[in-house]
Amino acid sequence: IHRALAHGRRVFYTTPLKALSNQKLRDFRASFGARRVGLLTGDLSLNREAPVVVMTTEIFRNMLYGQSELDDPLAGVEAVVLDECHYMNDSQRGTVWEESIIHCPGSVQLLALSATVANGEQLTDWIRQVHGPCTLIHSLHRPVPLNHSFCSAKGLHPLLNRAGNGLHPSCKVWRPPKGHRRRGRPGGRPPQPEPPRLTFVVQQLAERDMLPAIVFIFSRRGCDRGVGELARLNLLSPVQQQHLKARLEQFRQQMPDGVRGDGHADALLRGIASHHAGVLPAWKELIEELFQAGLLKVVLATETLAAGINMPARSTVIWALSKRTETGHRPLMASEFLQMAGRAGRRGLDREGHVVTVQSRFEGVREAGQLATSPADPLVSQFTPSYSMVLNLLQRYSLNQTQELVERSFGRYLASLGLVDEQQAIEQLAEQVEIMDQELADVPWQDLDSYEKERAKLREEHRLLRTLRQQAAETVAHDLTLALQFASQGTVVTVKSPHLEPSPAAAVLVDKRPGPGQFPLLLCLTEGNVWLLLPCRDVVAFHGELSCLTVAPLTMPPLRKAGERRHGDGSSHGLALSVAALARRHDLHTARYDLAAEVQEQARRVAAQEKKLGGHPAQAWRDRKRLKQKRHRLETVQQELEDRRRQLNDRIGRHWRMVLSLIDILRHFACLQKLEITPAGRVVSALRGDNELWLGLALLSGYLDTLPPPELAAAMEAVSTEVSRNDLWCAYPPPPLVMEALTSLQSLRRELDRQQDHHGITTPIWWEPELTGLVAAWARGSSWDGLMAKTSLDEGDVVRVVRRTMDVLAQIPHCPGLNEPLRRTARRAHAALNRFPVKEASDITVE
């Protein structure tokens, strides 16, 4: 900044959070003078022509898209600082950083700052590709070194060894005693030793002169409950208490509604405070001011305090090493731990900073040591095209140029890093396919396919023949079994048995013997002079039309079990010859079921198909099996090649396909005509929010045009914000005019939802009337205390909802194409909402 000022040039300093922008404004005013510093946020514009302008990164991105009121917003700008650039990892806002880097002119120097980026080389290389020459300045040196400790119920002791790469020798990893019951069973012991109480931890810090400290607790209730637990502690000297009491009284006079109740003001006077998103911004700023002045000794905070607010302490205490999220309980990430640990150690005040991890019911010294020695997590891309992005790009660039810009994202770059090996694998597969294609080029595949088709048809004909035979056999077997009960000796039959060769064979019934069931066993002599003892079901034809043979007195073998057989002798030889002669004369080898008309017809089909297959050109090929195997291998490799190419295309072209889907949806709603932006599209392009198309359609619908300012504010809250709290309660009913307008918008919302679902777009379409009555009440002048008495939301949540609504209302007057009455109403609604404690602190707006 000093260099740019010396050159007579300008600097933009961008931050991810409005609160951090406000803090930087104060810091820079102190360093460079109020006249040389300006501020641009969603709802504030102060001294915007100043040489040093602090702004949110989103405002800078909008400037690059030409959404600024200035003719050339980057005129005279020498450098742009992107503070906390690891917000590129943020799933909701990370896209803004990528857009800012991609679209910033190469003549403007970028300086990206972060304490927690593991893959800085990759980020540097990407910036070099999309913006210009870039150098990575990487340092592991901390001006104030960190000392890691662990606190259990037994006290505070060192966590890491001297080298800082492992546990301290005195650390003992806890193991459950023998016979310990499994976790989850009734009466089972917790999986870790009992954690220490908060009071004990703070006393340990105080005894070792390790205060002031920030204690990170991952829930608002936990922070507020901790203030109550420390009720008996007084961490301030009488002189400090006097200073703090005077500052608190001054704050009370300036902002009577800003003083937090429920004992928090009393705790403040003892040097203890809680800091989280549910607290009023003005009260949070007071806590930050008092902490930096050394008048607070313990601040219980959620991790949002670590996300950029300049509030260093001598010690940071990390109360748990895991936290609850929307997707369940999970361990802390290394970067989250480093962000919180990085708050320890104040430059110029502390020789070293202290990071204290605490024993919990779920994590102990082992988990603490792993996190304390882990490097930062790598940045990943959260780049996601939006309706506004697409429209702004198409206003300035052709479709091909738009594609080129979209595909310059950090996500596309990261994907390309892993593509070298993938491309080589694809090339190798393509070579295999080419070689195999050449080897099999002369094979008449049509003949082989035709042959395989005829073979399949023959198999099917055989299957049908088997089925028909089985069905006919079941019918015949029933009839024959009944007939055989009354058959006399000498009856000629045809039998089928696995013990015969050939089978079926002609035979003569010689005797009946008792069987295991109700039917007898049949002693038969076959044409081959073999004795068989058979069940009735093995007889497949009964030749009653033939005369019975004379069965002379024979020596019958002593067969007892079905299936037994024995060769005949000379006495049975003559009878066997007579049976053989009848078989030759009358064709007694055909089973009766084979004589059924449908079976004979199917047998003819089988024979015809076998003859057809025998005359096929491929019948004489000797290598049919090998050729089929080679073709199967070729098809497998081709499928793998196709799958890999598709996956590669998905990785490379995912963002562009999403852009094309957004273009289709924008055309459907007449925001684009072919690729030309329409007046409706200009409204959408000027908006920013979770779903700019939904906001634009709502504003263009005409249903909001006649709403009074309080109702317009309420309606815009309903279509632009979401409060995901399970315990949400609000005593203000939705105003009738608002519900009438929102109900009218439902058909438009359903159509947008249908289009998004069809194109695979998951951008939210908010329609949340629960808090419309609260917003309208505040716009009508309701008192803050009265407002808070009728909702379950914390004060900070209400401020955030109202400020987000104000942000949308502030955009409406600058949207080209909206009618003037709606613009005027939006200005009045914004002014009605902009009261303390929603309004920004007065020291920011005063120059």
Side-chain angles (χ1 to χ4, degrees), residues 440-700:
L440 301 173
D442 297 332
V443 177
W445 293 113
Q446 288 183 341
D447 287 349
L448 185 59
D449 290 340
S450 170
Y451 181 80
E452 291 300 324
K453 188 180 293 184
E454 296 300 334
R455 278 192 66 186
K457 188 174 181 181
L458 178 61
R459 285 194 295 270
E460 178 61 17
E461 298 292 4
H462 272 296
R463 188 191 67 79
L464 286 173
L465 180 60
R466 287 193 301 271
T467 301
L468 291 171
R469 273 180 172 166
Q470 184 180 356
Q471 292 170 351
E474 289 171 357
T475 304
V476 168
H478 178 71
D479 296 341
L480 289 177
T481 300
L482 293 176
L484 286 168
Q485 292 185 76
F486 306 102
S488 55
Q489 282 186 329
T491 301
V492 180
V493 294
T494 302
V495 297
K496 187 176 183 179
S497 170
H499 307 294
L500 285 177
E501 183 62 40
S503 179
V508 60
L509 176 61
V510 177
D511 192 19
K512 294 179 183 177
R513 294 181 178 176
Q518 59 178 337
F519 300 111
L521 293 174
L522 310 176
L523 181 64
C524 299
L525 179 67
T526 72
E527 59 186 304
N529 198 14
V530 175
W531 290 98
L532 277 174
L533 189 63
L534 299 168
C536 294
R537 66 175 178 270
D538 283 356
V539 176
V540 295
F542 179 86
H543 304 291
E545 74 280 4
L546 300 178
S547 300
C548 292
L549 296 174
T550 301
V551 179
L554 296 171
T555 304
M556 290 182 281
L559 304 180
R560 294 284 180 270
K561 294 181 181 178
E564 284 189 85
R565 69 174 183 166
R566 185 167 297 179
H567 288 282
D569 52 17
S571 64
S572 61
H573 183 66
L575 182 58
L577 288 174
S578 299
V579 174
L582 282 173
R584 285 193 298 272
R585 194 178 314 137
H586 297 287
D587 185 21
L588 303 183
H589 296 120
T590 304
R592 184 176 158 192
Y593 54 74
D594 279 337
L595 300 174
E598 62 270 21
V599 174
Q600 290 180 322
E601 176 61 28
Q602 185 60 32
R604 282 194 291 272
R605 288 180 184 158
V606 169
Q609 185 62 24
E610 285 176 340
K611 183 178 179 182
K612 184 177 181 182
L613 198 64
H616 197 281
Q619 175 70 21
W621 294 3
R622 294 182 179 180
D623 55 353
R624 284 198 310 270
K625 185 175 181 180
R626 185 174 62 84
L627 286 174
K628 284 171 61 179
Q629 290 173 342
K630 285 189 173 183
R631 183 163 73 169
H632 177 70
R633 172 61 183 157
L634 173 61
E635 290 170 349
T636 302
V637 175
Q638 284 175 329
Q639 185 62 49
E640 184 181 356
L641 178 62
E642 185 181 328
D643 291 344
R644 282 182 175 257
R645 280 174 170 165
R646 186 178 63 253
Q647 290 169 5
L648 182 67
N649 188 52
D650 287 345
R651 289 174 64 185
I652 292 176
R654 178 170 59 92
H655 293 138
W656 181 240
R657 285 194 301 277
M658 186 175 179
V659 167
L660 294 177
S661 294
L662 294 174
I663 287 174
D664 284 344
I665 298 172
L666 288 165
R667 282 173 173 162
H668 179 81
F669 288 100
C671 294
L672 284 173
Q673 191 168 17
K674 293 185 178 179
L675 292 175
E676 293 296 321
I677 191 166
T678 64
R682 288 192 178 86
V683 171
V684 176
S685 71
L687 293 167
R688 58 188 185 276
D690 290 337
N691 189 325
E692 304 92 350
L693 178 56
W694 168 234
L695 291 177
L697 292 174
L699 291 169
L700 290 164

Side-chain angles (χ1 to χ4, degrees), residues 27 66 90 115 170 199 264 282 304 319 332 344 380 382 439 477 532 566 616 671 674 713 728 799 830 833:
D27 293 346
D90 187 273
S170 65
T199 306
H264 287 277
T304 53
W319 193 253
L332 286 184
V380 296
Q382 301 289 352
E439 183 181 345
L532 277 174
R566 185 167 297 179
H616 197 281
C671 294
K674 293 185 178 179
L728 178 61
V799 169
H830 184 280
L833 294 177

Side-chain angles (χ1 to χ4, degrees), residues 29-85:
R29 280 177 173 176
S31 299
F32 305 108
R35 292 184 179 180
R36 303 175 84 180
V37 183
L39 177 71
L40 284 176
T41 61
D43 48 12
L44 270 181
S45 174
L46 303 173
N47 197 17
R48 62 189 305 157
E49 301 291 346
V52 180
V53 183
V54 181
M55 64 186 71
T56 56
T57 316
E58 188 177 34
I59 294 293
F60 176 63
R61 185 276 311 269
N62 294 342
M63 281 185 181
L64 297 174
Y65 278 141
Q67 294 181 14
S68 170
E69 296 171 13
L70 302 175
D71 293 334
D72 182 5
L74 293 179
V77 174
E78 178 173 296
V80 174
V81 180
L82 300 172
D83 199 2
E84 308 289 343
C85 76

Side-chain angles (χ1 to χ4, degrees), residues 813-829:
H814 305 294
C815 286
L818 293 180
N819 63 55
E820 189 55 36
L822 183 60
R823 293 186 185 199
R824 283 198 302 269
T825 306
R827 290 190 187 95
R828 290 166 59 194

